[in-house]
Amino acid sequence: MLKCSTFSSNKTYIVRYFTTFAAPATFPDSDFSDDTQDLVIQDKDLLRKSHHDSGTGLHVLDLIHHGSLEPDRSLYNTLFKKCTLLKKLDEARIIHAHISASLFKDDLVMQNTILNTYCKCGSLDDAHKLFEEMPVKDMVTWTALITGYSQNDQPLNALVLFPQMLRLGLKPNQFTLSSVLKASGTGTSDNYGGQVHAFCFKYGYVWNVYVGSSLLDMYARCGRMEDAWSVFYTLESKNEVSWNAVIAGHARKGEGEHALKMFSGMLRQGFEPTHFTYSSVFTALASMGSLEQGKWVHAHVIKSGGKLVAYVGNTLLDMYAKSGSIDDARKVFNRLERRDVVSWNSMITGYAQHGLGKEAVRWFAEMLRIRILPNEITFLCVLTACSHAGLLDEGQKCFELMKKYSIEPQEAHYVTMVDLLGRAGRLDQAMKFIIKMPIEPTAAVWGALLGACRMHKNMDLGTYAAERIFEFDPHDSGPHVLLANMYASAGRLSDAAKVRKMMKESGVKKEPACSWVETKNAIHMFVANDNAHPQREEIRKVWDEICGKIKEIGYIPDSSHVLFYADQQEREAKLQLHSEKLALAFALMTSPPGFTIRIKKNIRVCGDCHSAFKFASKVVVREIIVRDTNRYHHFRDGFCSCGDYW
């Protein structure tokens, strides 16, 4: 007669055997003997495979199957927890099949545990199948599946289940509501989230820190920061999740100053920033190009003992690259504990933006050499680098290489190829490329061709490209301005006037150009002919002095970049009041000698300013870095990093 019992202690399971006959032959000799003995199953062996092909699949289940171990709910729960922790989906299925033939087959608690395991292991099909087969479901059942869908990027399925649950009269708890709110925040509309907000009020969870944090995160993801703030202030208690949600919301909207202010407030309140916090702040600072603030936050990461892991290191790298310091970006890359495809993409993009195309291509080659698998973003980064540096052959080879990695080119890849060919002066080839594209040319594709035509002064093809763009979006100011500039540069002022008139009649407005510099942790913004800055007179005086000096060494103002009717003298005077020139003069006034000047601009830097800055860098003996919407220009000793290929 066989009797057995189990004891759990220090992550071990002791199976005690009292036998009066030989053990079955199907078990190993080490498991049984003629005498009383204890078999210790350690925690690490709980999911050990069966010894024989005839077993159940797991050794522990073999013991139960042969009567050597009594079925026990706590043991089953432990097995499923182990499967969940280690993401052992196959083992979970084996245990589920075993339980389906046991006394626990209709046990609701056990079924909920299995359902939760499937969800946590990412098998929503198994979870949904079990859900449909369950004869009885409670609130925990519904919450587990809703949470599973929400956490596995299937928000619509989660949102469909919630009203079904309510119709059955089941009351949601904080976990249900948090998961539904997470699902609601993944869409472009917050209509559903607003309804869930009402349920939070109804069931008294609106002040719950977990539900409240999910609620404000939902509003933040939908871009409704005022509502997010309203929820934030009503929370009776806040945690790291609450602060992170608001910081991330501002970061997604490119509101770096607000994100940084919230980060400082979080520190003052005594909350410890998480990896998610730092990642959001670095993302926000990257959008601002705020190098000094970025260095301050980086210093805080170091002081707090944080390591450059996962997305934190990648966002820090990206922040340095987008703030104009590619050298600091490379240092971060070298210190990353693990470099993934995102890390390599960020570096290649950084080199592309800084006009270092050959360096970007070298990094791409090294990436392939060490067998980091490139993705569609990698190829876009390399193509962009080749386009910015005029590396036509390298770019074409890169585009062909996509086939080897079974990556189908997307719209962005085709746009970049048109830009690459166009910048190289291969306008006819670019047009043929567009005609042969397997996708319908978009406004972005024609825009790339229009930009190339502007560069190479091809009026006929440029006009054709502009007309195609107007068909897609007649209210986009960019193509109108490009076309008007083309006409003005060619001296066809009447045609330029017609384009401006068309813009006015259609209500198309050009985005006002502005530039800004950061000094002493403050941002100073300038617009053309700026009369608002309190130091405007001194700023203009400084630029007049610089302008005089750069004219002496060869600078000739290009008044074709001023699109209004006046005599040459007035046009040239207007040209000297462009926002980036005022920003440069202010930076020279407020920074120490030899200090690198960093200027950001919201649109593409104009040709005349580009020429002026080359001469200015030689006169003032400084490096001047200008970041516009396309790239970085490093002006040093009378030259630009773009090699005038922009």
Side-chain angles (χ1 to χ4, degrees):
M1 187 72 180
L2 176 67
K3 296 181 180 179
C4 58
S5 59
T6 62
F7 305 86
S8 176
S9 174
N10 296 325
K11 291 190 176 181
T12 63
Y13 295 83
I14 304 175
V15 185
R16 179 159 295 164
Y17 303 93
F18 302 93
T19 63
T20 57
F21 51 84
T26 54
F27 281 83
D29 293 339
S30 60
D31 285 358
F32 292 91
S33 72
D34 290 337
D35 300 319
T36 300
Q37 69 173 25
D38 289 348
L39 172 64
V40 177
I41 303 176
Q42 297 185 1
D43 180 73
K44 65 183 180 65
D45 295 323
L46 283 174
L47 299 181
R48 193 175 67 182
K49 300 292 185 180
S50 296
H51 287 293
H52 301 284
D53 294 338
S54 59
T56 61
L58 293 179
H59 179 58
V60 171
L61 300 183
D62 290 343
L63 293 174
I64 296 174
H65 181 70
H66 289 276
S68 302
L69 182 62
E70 290 183 353
D72 181 82
R73 178 185 279 110
S74 64
L75 177 58
Y76 287 138
N77 284 335
T78 302
L79 291 173
F80 280 117
K81 286 181 181 178
K82 196 78 172 176
C83 291
T84 301
L85 179 65
L86 300 176
K87 298 293 186 289
K88 296 286 188 178
L89 180 59
D90 291 337
E91 286 78 355
R93 288 170 175 158
I94 292 172
I95 303 168
H96 181 195
H98 172 86
I99 290 176
S100 296
S102 73
L103 296 174
F104 296 101
K105 65 178 181 179
D106 294 324
D107 186 285
L108 179 59
V109 175
M110 187 61 64
Q111 289 179 324
N112 285 340
T113 300
I114 300 170
L115 179 65
N116 180 66
T117 298
Y118 281 143
C119 290
K120 293 291 177 61
C121 289
S123 181
L124 274 301
D125 289 338
D126 284 316
H128 182 76
K129 185 174 183 294
L130 174 60
F131 180 84
E132 292 295 326
E133 293 172 351
M134 290 173 62
V136 179
K137 305 178 185 69
D138 61 4
M139 181 270 298
V140 176
T141 314
W142 287 85
T143 298
L145 190 56
I146 289 172
T147 302
Y149 280 128
S150 179
Q151 293 179 345
N152 285 276
D153 298 323
Q154 298 186 37
L156 293 180
N157 288 333
L159 297 178
V160 167
L161 284 176
F162 184 60
Q164 295 177 15
M165 172 183 170
L166 296 177
R167 283 194 291 269
L168 293 175
L170 296 172
K171 179 182 177 181
N173 60 19
Q174 63 182 19
F175 303 108
T176 320
L177 294 170
S178 295
S179 295
V180 175
L181 286 167
K182 175 179 171 60
S184 303
T186 58
T188 56
S189 171
D190 65 339
N191 292 336
Y192 201 100
Q195 296 178 43
V196 181
H197 191 173
F199 278 104
C200 296
F201 270 112
K202 179 179 179 180
Y203 293 108
Y205 283 107
V206 73
W207 292 284
N208 178 282
V209 64
Y210 302 105
V211 175
S213 297
S214 298
L215 185 59
L216 68 88
D217 181 62
M218 181 273 296
Y219 280 127
R221 287 182 181 276
C222 293
R224 292 183 53 172
M225 293 308 300
E226 290 186 5
D227 290 312
W229 272 99
S230 178
V231 174
F232 183 81
Y233 283 126
T234 58
L235 288 177
E236 294 180 352
S237 61
K238 301 174 181 65
N239 59 11
E240 287 81 0
V241 177
S242 316
W243 287 91
N244 286 346
V246 179
I247 292 172
H250 285 303
R252 278 190 293 270
K253 295 191 72 175
E255 298 172 347
E257 290 186 40
H258 291 296
L260 193 62
K261 182 179 179 181
M262 285 298 296
F263 175 72
S264 299
M266 181 181 185
L267 296 178
R268 286 195 300 271
Q269 293 294 322
F271 290 95
E272 191 67 28
T274 65
H275 286 171
F276 186 80
T277 316
Y278 289 124
S279 179
S280 297
V281 174
F282 287 137
T283 299
L285 292 173
S287 68
M288 294 171 59
S290 184
L291 182 62
E292 296 307 313
Q293 298 284 20
K295 287 182 176 179
W296 173 73
V297 178
H298 184 188
H300 194 279
V301 174
I302 296 172
K303 290 178 182 178
S304 63
K307 296 182 179 180
L308 297 182
V309 296
Y311 49 86
V312 177
N314 289 334
T315 52
L316 175 61
L317 186 163
D318 185 60
M319 183 277 296
Y320 275 124
K322 289 182 177 177
S323 298
S325 182
I326 193 67
D327 290 337
D328 284 319
R330 184 169 51 244
K331 290 176 183 177
V332 171
F333 180 88
N334 292 334
R335 294 171 185 169
L336 290 177
E337 292 197 347
R338 177 177 173 270
R339 301 175 191 120
D340 57 14
V341 65
V342 177
S343 314
W344 286 88
N345 287 351
S346 297
M347 279 306 303
I348 293 171
T349 299
Y351 283 122
Q353 291 175 330
H354 287 265
L356 303 171
K358 292 183 178 179
E359 191 72 14
V361 172
R362 281 196 293 269
W363 275 65
F364 177 59
E366 176 65 13
M367 176 182 177
L368 298 182
R369 188 189 69 80
I370 63 174
R371 300 185 184 281
I372 299 292
L373 194 65
N375 56 23
E376 63 273 9
I377 297 175
T378 311
F379 284 100
L380 181 60
C381 297
V382 180
L383 287 171
T384 301
C386 293
S387 176
H388 284 182
L391 304 176
L392 181 60
D393 292 339
E394 292 86 343
Q396 290 178 316
K397 290 177 183 178
C398 175
F399 188 77
E400 290 299 319
L401 194 61
M402 294 179 70
K403 297 176 183 177
K404 177 181 177 180
Y405 291 93
S406 301
I407 296 176
E408 189 71 25
Q410 303 299 312
E411 178 193 353
H413 299 97
Y414 289 115
V415 170
T416 311
M417 277 301 296
V418 172
D419 188 60
L420 173 67
L421 293 167
R423 285 175 183 267
R426 307 286 186 87
L427 297 178
D428 291 340
Q429 193 174 342
M431 188 64 199
K432 291 178 181 178
F433 180 85
I434 293 174
I435 294 172
K436 293 180 180 180
M437 278 170 31
I439 66 171
E440 190 70 24
T442 63
V445 172
W446 291 115
L449 183 62
L450 174 60
C453 292
R454 162 79 165 92
M455 181 187 304
H456 296 287
K457 297 179 172 56
N458 189 317
M459 300 299 303
D460 294 335
L461 188 56
T463 302
Y464 177 79
E467 289 172 350
R468 301 289 77 73
I469 300 173
F470 297 156
E471 292 174 1
F472 284 96
D473 186 2
H475 300 291
D476 184 3
S477 65
H480 289 84
V481 173
L482 264 180
L483 186 59
N485 286 342
M486 285 178 63
Y487 286 136
S489 298
R492 293 170 56 175
L493 298 182
S494 60
D495 289 326
K498 289 178 183 178
V499 176
R500 307 290 283 193
K501 182 180 179 182
M502 182 172 62
M503 291 176 63
K504 185 176 181 180
E505 292 175 348
S506 302
V508 178
K509 294 183 178 180
K510 176 182 178 292
E511 181 183 5
C514 65
S515 302
W516 61 98
V517 292
E518 179 183 2
T519 177
K520 298 179 181 178
N521 293 327
I523 304 294
H524 292 259
M525 186 171 290
F526 301 88
V527 295
N529 198 27
D530 200 327
N531 290 314
H533 199 280
Q535 295 174 274
R536 56 187 177 276
E537 296 299 330
E538 188 178 356
I539 291 170
R540 293 188 182 186
K541 182 179 179 181
V542 169
W543 177 252
D544 286 341
E545 292 176 358
I546 296 172
C547 186
K549 292 179 180 179
I550 63 178
K551 283 182 178 179
E552 292 176 1
I553 60 173
Y555 165 64
I556 301 174
D558 183 359
S559 59
S560 68
H561 295 277
V562 181
L563 300 179
F564 75 103
Y565 299 98
D567 58 33
Q568 180 64 24
Q569 185 177 359
E570 188 176 356
R571 289 164 65 85
E572 183 177 327
K574 194 79 172 178
L575 194 65
Q576 301 309 319
L577 295 177
H578 278 192
S579 62
E580 54 265 58
K581 290 171 180 170
L582 299 178
L584 173 59
F586 176 78
L588 289 169
M589 289 166 43
T590 56
S591 61
F595 192 79
T596 298
I597 295 173
R598 290 180 169 84
I599 300 171
K600 275 77 72 175
K601 189 174 182 182
N602 67 330
I603 62 174
R604 186 174 178 268
V605 64
C606 87
D608 179 76
C609 289
H610 188 272
S611 175
F613 276 32
K614 286 196 299 180
F615 288 104
S617 67
K618 190 172 185 178
V619 167
V620 302
V621 196
R622 302 251 202 139
E623 181 180 9
I624 305 168
I625 302 175
V626 179
R627 168 190 171 184
D628 65 13
T629 51
N630 288 351
R631 64 185 301 163
Y632 284 85
H633 298 268
H634 292 250
F635 299 96
R636 186 188 296 121
D637 298 326
F639 297 94
C640 179
S641 59
C642 72
D644 295 336
Y645 193 86
W646 62 288

